[in-house]
Amino acid sequence: MFKNFKIITAMAFAVVAAGFSSSANAGVEGDTITLGSALSLTGKYATNGLHTQRGYDFAVDRINSTGGVMVGGKSYKLTVKYYDDESTPARGAQLAERLIQQDGVEFMLGPYSSGMTKAIAPVSEKFGVPMIEAEGASRSLFTQGYKYLFAVLSTTDLYLPGALNFAADQKKSIGKPASDARVAMAFEGDPFSMDIRAGLVEMIKDYGMKLVIDDQLPADLSDMSTTLTKVKALKPDILIISGHSKGAATAARQIDEMKINVPIIAMTHCEAAKVHEKFPNAATGFLCPTQWVPGIDKKDAMFGSAADWNADFKAAHPSYSSVPYQSAQASAAVYVWKEAFEAANSFDKKAVRDAIAGVEMQTFYGDVKFGPDGNNVAKPMFLRQIGSDGSYNLVSSFSDLTYPRNVSY
Amino acid sequence: MFDNLQLLFVWAPIINVQVILDGIFVGAVFALCAYGLALVWGVMNIKNLAQGDFVILGGYLALVLHSWNLPLPVILVIVTIVMFVYGWSIYALIIRRIVDKDMFVSLLATFGLSLLMQQAMNLYFGPEVQTIDMKLPVIDAFDNMVTIPYSKIISLALAGIITAAVVIFMKKSRTGQAIRATAQDARAARVLGIDTDRVYAFTFAFNSALCGAAGVLVSVIWVIQPFYGITYSVRTFAIVTAAGLGNLPGVISAAFGIGLFEKYTGMIVGTAYEVAAPVMILLLVLIIRQINMKRNRQVVR
C-alpha cells in the first residue's frame, strides 16, 4: 500500500515535470513563434497600451499573411501572448517572469512607457531573453549595460532639444546672443519626464540661458495653475512641459483659461491628449516632438512607405483621426523581430540576440540600427507645430516655425 | 524658492490676487465634499475612503450629461439626484452592514469600494483626462495678469447656493433635526422614535449627493481622471480633521484655509508640493491637538 503510494507520487511528479518541460519550449512550437509582452491594457497607461497592442497586432497579421518568418527554409507564423500589467511596474516585472518561466516565452516585445520597461528589462536580462521594445524612450534604460534590450525608437534626450534650439535661433535672428533666452519648464516627476529635463538642463547651461521656472508637477496632475501664474508674471521666451497625456491635457486647458501668451510652447504627448481637438485655441502653435510622421520619405518591402502604413493602419482602425506614433513604432518592433530571426536563421536566444544587434534596415518607421547600448541610433526625432486648423506641420528649422505662435484667445 | 517669494511680494504682487482667487475656488469645491464627510463621520462614525471617488463619479456623470447639451444647473440637479440614489443603494448594500463594526472594518470596506469604483470608471470611461469645456468667456484684469474664467465664477456661486441650502436644511427641516439628534446620541434618538437606520441611509445618500455636486464643479473647473479621487479624499480628510466633526462653519473656513495654503505652497515651493500641503496641515493639527490634550489630561488616582 505504502509502496504503491510512493510510486503514484513519483508518477505524479513525473507528469508535472513533463508538463513543465513541454511548456518551457513554448517560445517556438510547431510553426508558431510566440512573442511575449506585458502591456498596460488597464490603468493609467491603458490608452497608449492599446495603441501599442494595435501596432503589434497589425504587424503580426501583415507578416503572417505575407509568408511569415523564414527560418531554416521553413515558414513560421508569429503570435503574441499578452498579459495586462495594469500600468503598475511591480505587476509588469511579475508578469515578465511568468511569461518566461511558466509560459516558456523566449522572445519579448516591450511594454508601454519607460517606467514599465525599467521594471521588466532586469527580468528579461536575467533570463537572457532578448526584448525589442518600442515604447520606452528613457535614456537611462540604455546606460545600465543591458545586453538583451533593444529599442527601435529615439531616446528621451532627443525629444525637445530642437525646441530649445529654436529659442536660441530666435534670439540670434534679432541680433541678440542665445543666452538672452529665458526658459520656463514644468515636468512631472516620472523617469520619462525627468530624463527629458536632465538633457535640457544640460543644454540650457551650455547656451548660458536663464532658467526662470523649473517646477515639478505632481503625478495626479489636475491643476498646474500656480506654475502658469508664475509663467504669466515672468514672461519667459519658451515654455516646456512634459507630463504624459494628462499633463498635456491639463496644461492646454489651463493655458487656454489663463490666456498664457508665451511665443514658443513645447510639450510632449500633444497628439495622445488630442489637444488640437479639445483646446484648438490654446493649442495653436504648440511644438510637439514625435518619433515618427507619416510624411517622411522611408519605405520597406513589408509595409511600403510611411504613408502606406499610415493608410493601411487607418483602414484597419477607422476610429483614429490621426494615427499615434506609438502604433507605428510597435509595428516596427515586430518587423525587426522578423528580420532578426531570418538573419540568425535559428531560435537560439543568444544567436537571435546577436542578430538583433547586427540589424541594419530601412523601415517605414525610419532606419533601424542599434548602438552598443541597444538604442536605435539611426533614426532622428521630429518636431511638429500645431496649425490654427488643428493640423500638425513638420518644422525642421526656425524658418519653418510660426513665431510667435499665432493665438487669439 | 527665494525667487518665488520675491516674485510674489516684490516683482509682481498683483499675482497674489490670482493665487487668492484660485485658492477660494479650490476651497469652495472642497467645502462641499468635506461637509459631506464630516456628516457621515460624525453621524454614523464611518470614515469614507471612497469620498474622492464619489466626487470623480459625479464629474463623469456631468460629462455624460454635458455631451447631451444640457445646461449646467440642470446637470447639477440631475447628478445630485442620481448620486443620492447611488449613495442610498451603497448604504443598503455595504454600509448598513458595517455601521456598528469597528473602525478598521469601515476603512477596509470603503477602501475596497474606492478601488472598485476607480476600476469601474476606468473601464467605462477610459483613463483619458477629461474636462467639460463650457466655452464661456474669461475675464482678464490688470493687463492680463489676473484671469477669472466665468466657469469658475458660476461654480463658486453654485457652491455657495448649495452650501446655504444645506445649512438651512440642517437647521430647519425635520430630517435635518433628526440627523443632528442622531449624531448627538443615537440611542436617545431611537428612544424618542427616530428611525436611525433611515437617518443613516439618508445621511450617506446626502453625502454622496454633495460629492456628486462637487464633482460637477470639479469637471467644469479642472480635469477629471478615474484615479484622481484619492487627492480629493486626502484633502477632505485633512479639512475634516482640522475643523472637527459636525462644525459647518469650521469645515467651510478650514476648506478655504487649506485651499489658500495649497495655492501659496504651490507658488512658493513648487506645484509638486501642492498635494502635500493639506497633509502637512493634517500633521500639524494632530500634533497640536496631542499637545493640548496632554496638557489637559488628568490621571485619576
Side-chain angles (χ1 to χ4, degrees):
Chain A
M1 176 67 199
F2 189 63
K3 211 176 173 184
N4 275 350
F5 179 71
K6 257 189 174 170
I7 290 169
I8 290 168
T9 335
M11 276 167 70
F13 268 116
V15 168
V16 170
F20 268 120
S21 61
S22 73
S23 76
N25 285 331
V28 183
E29 213 168 0
D31 62 348
T32 310
I33 308 168
T34 305
L35 303 171
S37 177
L39 258 186
S40 306
L41 302 176
T42 59
K44 59 180 173 176
Y45 298 140
T47 319
N48 285 317
L50 188 66
H51 295 335
T52 309
Q53 189 182 33
R54 285 176 174 163
Y56 286 156
D57 289 344
F58 180 81
V60 165
D61 289 348
R62 177 65 65 89
I63 290 170
N64 288 345
S65 63
T66 53
V69 180
M70 297 296 289
V71 175
K74 186 179 164 197
S75 162
Y76 291 85
K77 295 256 180 285
L78 284 174
T79 171
V80 187
K81 186 166 183 59
Y82 294 108
Y83 281 124
D84 174 17
D85 63 30
E86 296 155 23
S87 308
T88 43
R91 186 93 183 105
Q94 237 173 38
L95 290 173
E97 201 144 347
R98 175 152 148 201
L99 278 168
I100 296 168
Q101 289 212 294
Q102 287 184 23
D103 303 332
V105 162
E106 295 185 314
F107 314 103
M108 302 241 309
L109 285 164
Y112 174 77
S113 89
S114 297
M116 298 298 309
T117 314
K118 247 181 199 164
I120 289 175
V123 179
S124 51
E125 189 74 19
K126 183 173 91 188
F127 292 105
V129 168
M131 173 158 85
I132 301 180
E133 60 111 341
E135 315 286 346
S138 181
R139 182 77 194 93
S140 55
L141 278 168
F142 307 97
T143 52
Q144 313 288 322
Y146 291 141
K147 288 273 162 283
Y148 287 83
L149 176 69
F150 298 92
V152 296
L153 76 179
S154 306
T155 45
T156 36
D157 46 330
L158 302 174
Y159 267 55
L160 287 166
L164 213 51
N165 286 334
F166 290 153
D169 291 345
Q170 191 270 327
K171 285 291 169 205
K172 283 178 202 153
S173 73
I174 54 168
K176 287 189 177 158
S179 59
D180 268 17
R182 300 165 75 246
V183 185
M185 308 201 298
F187 290 85
E188 200 192 323
D190 67 308
F192 169 83
S193 302
M194 282 292 110
D195 258 26
I196 296 185
R197 181 184 169 276
L200 291 176
V201 168
E202 200 75 2
M203 270 183 80
I204 289 170
K205 216 182 276 167
D206 290 347
Y207 270 126
M209 293 174 174
K210 197 162 176 340
L211 183 54
V212 291
I213 299 172
D214 182 14
D215 264 7
Q216 193 177 323
L217 303 174
D220 296 320
L221 221 175
S222 63
D223 185 7
M224 55 179 290
S225 59
T226 41
T227 302
L228 293 175
T229 306
K230 275 187 244 175
V231 167
K232 219 184 242 182
L234 292 168
K235 299 189 171 52
D237 297 299
I238 176 169
L239 169 63
I240 306 176
I241 295 167
S242 168
H244 295 273
S245 305
K246 58 188 185 325
T250 307
R253 156 143 211 185
Q254 297 198 318
I255 283 171
D256 190 12
E257 210 169 69
M258 298 178 72
K259 301 188 179 182
I260 301 293
N261 229 336
V262 180
I264 304 178
I265 296 183
M267 66 174 69
T268 61
H269 297 85
C270 310
E271 295 146 293
K274 296 195 178 124
V275 293
H276 55 286
E277 284 173 25
K278 290 187 190 157
F279 313 100
N281 264 343
T284 304
F286 278 8
L287 276 174
C288 315
T290 178
Q291 291 278 356
W292 175 80
V293 280
I296 57 167
D297 183 25
K298 292 285 173 190
K299 56 170 172 267
D300 59 56
M302 179 64 61
F303 299 104
S305 69
D308 291 342
W309 181 89
N310 193 52
D312 293 349
F313 189 80
K314 230 184 215 172
H317 299 286
S319 60
Y320 288 115
S321 64
S322 86
V323 176
Y325 66 74
Q326 283 85 355
S327 302
Q329 57 207 26
S331 283
V334 178
Y335 189 27
V336 173
W337 265 123
K338 170 186 153 74
E339 283 291 309
F341 283 131
E342 289 177 353
N345 209 19
S346 117
F347 291 116
D348 175 56
K349 285 186 286 185
K350 181 81 178 54
V352 174
R353 184 254 156 218
D354 292 341
I356 300 171
V359 158
E360 212 170 312
M361 61 197 276
Q362 196 186 85
T363 70
F364 75 95
Y365 173 67
D367 296 338
V368 176
K369 180 185 186 323
F370 299 108
D373 298 328
N375 55 323
N376 184 2
V377 291
K379 186 187 82 67
M381 203 61 202
F382 306 95
L383 270 178
R384 292 192 295 176
Q385 189 173 32
I386 303 180
S388 52
D389 54 348
S391 59
Y392 281 76
N393 310 307
L394 193 62
V395 188
S396 39
S397 71
F398 181 65
S399 53
D400 298 343
L401 188 75
T402 311
Y403 182 93
R405 66 193 193 96
N406 181 14
V407 279
S408 55
Y409 288 117
Chain B
M1 186 172 148
F2 185 66
D3 281 358
N4 290 331
L5 281 172
Q6 258 192 328
L7 177 67
L8 265 177
F9 299 111
V10 186
W11 295 336
I14 195 70
I15 60 174
N16 278 296
V17 178
Q18 179 82 62
V19 178
I20 290 170
L21 282 173
D22 281 339
I24 289 175
F25 294 131
V26 172
V29 173
F30 288 168
L32 285 180
C33 39
Y35 186 60
L37 182 71
L39 261 184
V40 167
W41 195 335
V43 174
M44 47 213 282
N45 200 23
I46 296 281
K47 288 140 200 86
N48 182 18
L49 286 179
Q51 192 79 356
D53 303 293
F54 281 54
V55 174
I56 301 296
L57 180 61
Y60 274 113
L61 290 176
L63 213 65
V64 172
L65 295 173
H66 179 71
S67 66
W68 300 346
N69 287 325
L70 294 174
L72 188 63
V74 178
I75 293 179
L76 194 67
V77 170
I78 298 179
V79 170
T80 313
I81 295 170
V82 173
M83 287 301 289
F84 188 88
V85 174
Y86 176 77
W88 199 292
S89 30
I90 290 291
Y91 175 82
L93 263 171
I94 303 170
I95 308 295
R96 185 204 295 272
R97 289 157 230 283
I98 60 170
V99 167
D100 316 318
K101 302 283 184 332
D102 68 12
M103 187 183 76
F104 289 102
V105 178
S106 83
L107 285 179
L108 280 176
T110 51
F111 183 60
L113 177 66
S114 156
L115 292 180
L116 194 71
M117 285 176 68
Q118 283 174 14
Q119 296 298 341
M121 287 189 284
N122 190 32
L123 278 180
Y124 193 75
F125 299 107
E128 292 288 284
V129 167
Q130 297 194 53
T131 175
I132 293 180
D133 194 356
M134 301 270 294
K135 308 228 185 297
L136 289 174
V138 176
I139 305 172
D140 50 71
F142 305 109
D143 193 19
N144 195 24
M145 283 305 264
V146 176
T147 41
I148 315 157
Y150 267 105
S151 58
K152 283 191 179 176
I153 299 176
I154 293 174
S155 303
L156 184 64
L158 288 175
I161 294 170
I162 298 168
T163 315
V166 169
V167 171
I168 295 169
F169 172 77
M170 291 300 285
K171 277 250 149 68
K172 304 280 178 202
S173 75
R174 290 292 288 173
T175 319
Q177 285 168 352
I179 291 177
R180 285 188 292 142
T182 312
Q184 274 176 15
D185 190 335
R187 190 186 285 179
R190 228 171 291 154
V191 169
L192 291 174
I194 292 173
D195 182 352
T196 48
D197 190 45
R198 252 185 95 80
V199 168
Y200 286 159
F202 183 85
T203 309
F204 198 79
F206 190 54
N207 167 45
S208 164
L210 279 177
C211 287
V216 176
L217 304 185
V218 166
S219 66
V220 172
I221 302 184
W222 299 293
V223 293
I224 53 170
Q225 206 245 2
F227 300 101
Y228 279 176
I230 182 74
T231 46
Y232 294 99
S233 296
V234 168
R235 283 157 166 168
T236 46
F237 268 84
I239 292 167
V240 172
T241 317
L245 307 173
N247 174 4
L248 184 55
V251 166
I252 292 172
S253 49
F256 283 116
I258 283 186
L260 283 175
F261 183 72
E262 220 186 277
K263 286 292 150 191
Y264 269 100
T265 311
M267 198 67 204
I268 293 165
V269 281
T271 312
Y273 299 94
E274 234 169 69
V275 188
V279 187
M280 236 168 66
I281 293 223
L282 182 63
L283 206 65
L284 278 177
V285 167
L286 289 178
I287 291 172
I288 293 169
R289 287 243 173 102
Q290 270 300 315
I291 293 171
N292 280 342
M293 280 206 284
K294 207 165 219 167
R295 201 176 289 150
N296 298 331
R297 200 171 287 155
Q298 285 165 1
V299 182
V300 183
R301 285 176 204 277

